[in-house]
Amino acid sequence: MSKVKQNTLSNPNPVKSQQVFPNNSGGFVIVNPYYDDFQAHLDFIDDIIIVVANNSSKGRETIKLYKLYRPELAEDRASELQLNQQTVNQQLMARLTSTTIDQATIDQINAVIAQIPTWTL
């Protein structure tokens, strides 16, 4: 599989040799740790599922670019935090009854729930 190159700059120069590196947050379409407060753009559900905060386009693009929606990342976070599989499953199942979450988040929660039985925490 080849590495896909995606643009992360707000105003890319088609002539790469003339591209000037941005020196502020507005110069990037993803969260930049040097210029952005990630909490303004990204949030966690139950400490394991990463979601867009504040309807942030930067948060959305960051999650998409780095594929932060992958269920195995939720497993890694749950393991790192030493969370109980049954508790995580119950919390996430309860989240599915919320009327305030969008379809992408529901899909992400369902993908994680489907993987929980195979977790080795």
Side-chain angles (χ1 to χ4, degrees), residues 28-97:
F28 299 91
V29 296
I30 63 170
V31 176
N32 183 299
Y34 292 103
Y35 301 116
D36 296 307
D37 173 11
F38 83 91
Q39 292 175 330
H41 304 281
L42 302 169
D43 199 4
F44 286 91
I45 293 177
D46 297 327
D47 295 325
I48 63 166
I49 296 181
I50 194 164
V51 295
V52 175
N54 305 312
N55 200 27
S56 166
S57 61
K58 279 188 167 201
R60 192 173 296 99
E61 289 301 313
T62 300
I63 290 171
K64 181 177 156 186
L65 177 69
Y66 294 109
K67 299 178 181 164
L68 299 177
Y69 49 78
R70 292 173 286 152
E72 57 269 19
L73 295 179
E75 179 183 2
D76 291 345
R77 286 189 286 274
S79 179
E80 182 71 27
L81 296 169
Q82 299 179 341
L83 301 177
N84 176 283
Q85 283 173 271
Q86 184 177 3
T87 303
V88 169
N89 189 51
Q90 290 169 346
Q91 288 173 323
L92 293 178
M93 291 295 285
R95 292 281 183 183
L96 291 176
T97 63

Side-chain angles (χ1 to χ4, degrees), residues 71-72 75 85 110-119:
E72 57 269 19
E75 179 183 2
Q85 283 173 271
N110 281 324
V112 171
I113 289 171
Q115 294 291 318
I116 288 175
T118 65
W119 286 6

Side-chain angles (χ1 to χ4, degrees), residues 3 7 10 17-18 24 27 33 36 43 58 66 73 78 100 106 111:
K3 183 177 178 181
N7 180 47
S10 297
S17 63
Q18 296 176 3
N24 62 51
D36 296 307
D43 199 4
K58 279 188 167 201
Y66 294 109
L73 295 179
T100 61
I106 291 170

